[in-house]
């Protein structure tokens, strides 16, 4: 049903409804070694690792505003805003906030 469903494909999931996560959200950890600019010429099922790198590249290249990922080469979180990739500003937690999983 258009605009009221969830579509799951091999390389993409599209949510037209609300999404509630009951655990942590982890952004994609993407660096240069995780990207491939050329499509895999061999069987993508056999070359799934290289195909995944191309999917990363293709999706980031064609992504829209609001797309986010963690740039592991530069240790920054980036987001696309107004058609441009921008770094998100983060800061250390206040001294009084501690987590048992640190």
């Amino acid at each position: 049903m258009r605009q009221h469903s969830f579509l799951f494909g091999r390389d993409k999931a599209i949510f037209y409804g609300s999404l509630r996560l009951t655990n942590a959200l982890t952004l994609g950890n993407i660096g240069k070694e995780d990207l491939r600019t050329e499509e895999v010429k061999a069987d993508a099922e056999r070359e799934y690792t290289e195909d995944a790198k191309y999917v990363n590249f293709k999706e980031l290249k064609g992504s829209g505003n609001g797309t986010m990922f963690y740039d592991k080469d530069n240790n920054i979180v980036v987001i696309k805003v107004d058609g441009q990739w921008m770094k998100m500003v983060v800061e250390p937690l206040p001294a009084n906030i501690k987590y048992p999983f640190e």
Side-chain angles (χ1 to χ4, degrees):
M1 179 180 264
R2 197 175 291 238
Q3 299 299 326
H4 293 286
S5 59
F6 303 90
L7 304 173
F8 294 90
R10 186 189 84 153
D11 300 326
K12 187 183 288 190
I14 300 172
F15 296 81
Y16 289 110
S18 297
L19 173 63
R20 181 172 179 239
L21 302 173
T22 59
N23 207 322
L25 170 66
T26 302
L27 294 177
N29 248 327
I30 301 173
K32 291 176 190 157
E33 67 187 33
D34 304 303
L35 299 171
R36 177 188 171 109
T37 59
E38 302 285 323
E39 190 170 4
V40 175
K41 300 296 182 215
D43 180 13
E45 289 300 313
R46 285 193 172 170
E47 298 294 329
Y48 60 89
T49 305
E50 291 301 308
D51 186 58
K53 292 177 184 183
Y54 176 67
V55 170
N56 283 346
F57 176 80
K58 183 176 71 170
E59 291 302 316
L60 289 173
K61 185 171 176 75
S63 66
N65 292 329
T67 301
M68 296 173 65
F69 72 97
Y70 177 75
D71 176 346
K72 69 181 182 183
D73 294 334
N74 297 296
N75 290 323
I76 59 174
V77 175
V78 295
I79 184 169
K80 198 170 204 180
V81 177
D82 198 22
Q84 294 184 341
W85 289 107
M86 299 184 181
K87 117 179 144 168
M88 292 189 65
V89 178
V90 296
E91 60 186 46
L93 291 171
N96 65 329
I97 297 178
K98 299 285 185 213
Y99 296 111
F101 47 82
E102 287 186 82

